[in-house]
Amino acid sequence: MLICIPDVLSKNDVADFRRIMAAEPWEDGRSTAGAQSAEVKNNGQLPPDGKTSRQLGERILRALAANTLFLSAAVPLHIFPPLFNRYVPGQFFGEHVDNCIRGDHLTGLRIRTDLSVTLFLSEPDEYDGGELVVNDYYGSHRVKLPAGHLVIYPSTSLHLVTPITRGARICSFFWLQSMIKDPLARRMTFDMDNAIQGLVHRLGRNDPEVRKLTNVYHNIVRYWAEV
Ligand code: NI
């Protein structure tokens, strides 16, 4: 299941990120790739341990912590420090698998990658190609979002980025471990939360049935969550 979250970063934030990144060196993206993905990866990355990556990453994490749609969809336990990549003409990332476990040697954080996230920092009209293609049991999904929006997709999927033919595609990408490991359970809690939010809008938060459903929602998350 793919979930798109709009307006995680404002256009002003995106412009500020882009201004800061423009002054940085880009290194070979294979520095963070696993054995399989390194053979099909051709892009540039900001040095993952550099001050700029870490500071911009912190800003993204703060934005995510305040984004109720993201929190409801992902129910994150641990979020890997965000990385930043750039594709220019001729660059691409062939079909690959994301490593199941990722460790960050600076913080000691080690996570199971349940969900992969791409946060777009270029507008779609700034480049041609560069679509994220996620292949899952339901088919092949192509994603290209406005700057400041992100997509969450299962780390269990094979996925790729199509070759760039014009401009530059700049994104942040990262992984997270969800408190709800089971994808179906996570999907059901997200659907239920969405339905409750719709009822809250129509009936108010303290309608008796809304209150009961809210209680059930919290009990379901309590039942499934591992923290
Ligand atoms: Ni990947």
Side-chain angles (χ1 to χ4, degrees), residues 10 16 20 31 34 42 63 80 90 102 112 127 144 172 177 207:
S10 69
D16 194 39
I20 292 167
S31 64
N42 176 6
F80 200 79
R102 290 207 78 103
R112 180 189 64 228
Y127 58 98
K144 190 171 186 175
S172 174
Q177 180 171 334
D207 173 86

Side-chain angles (χ1 to χ4, degrees), residues 37 41 87 93-94 96-99 102 116 118 132 153 155 157-161 173 175:
S37 58
K41 188 174 186 182
Y87 295 78
F93 198 165
H96 66 278
V97 57
D98 288 351
N99 282 355
R102 290 207 78 103
S116 301
T118 297
L132 172 68
Y153 57 100
S155 302
S157 64
L158 286 166
H159 51 272
L160 59 100
V161 176
F173 65 103
W175 304 270

Side-chain angles (χ1 to χ4, degrees), residues 104-195:
D104 174 38
H105 66 96
L106 285 188
T107 58
L109 179 69
R110 193 165 62 148
I111 69 165
R112 180 189 64 228
T113 55
D114 294 324
L115 294 169
S116 301
V117 182
T118 297
L119 169 63
F120 289 78
L121 296 170
S122 298
E123 296 293 354
D125 63 6
E126 289 185 83
Y127 58 98
D128 291 328
E131 289 164 311
L132 172 68
V133 181
V134 180
N135 297 316
D136 65 14
Y137 297 113
Y138 300 103
S140 191
H141 314 277
R142 302 176 85 84
V143 187
K144 190 171 186 175
L145 298 177
H149 297 209
L150 65 74
V151 59
I152 304 171
Y153 57 100
S155 302
T156 49
S157 64
L158 286 166
H159 51 272
L160 59 100
V161 176
T162 63
I164 289 278
T165 56
R166 177 188 66 88
R169 174 198 194 264
I170 297 170
C171 289
S172 174
F173 65 103
F174 48 94
W175 304 270
L176 66 89
Q177 180 171 334
S178 177
M179 291 185 208
I180 302 178
K181 178 182 177 183
D182 185 278
L184 178 59
R186 198 186 313 118
R187 172 68 197 245
M188 287 190 287
T189 57
F190 181 53
D191 287 346
M192 187 173 189
D193 190 30
N194 277 335

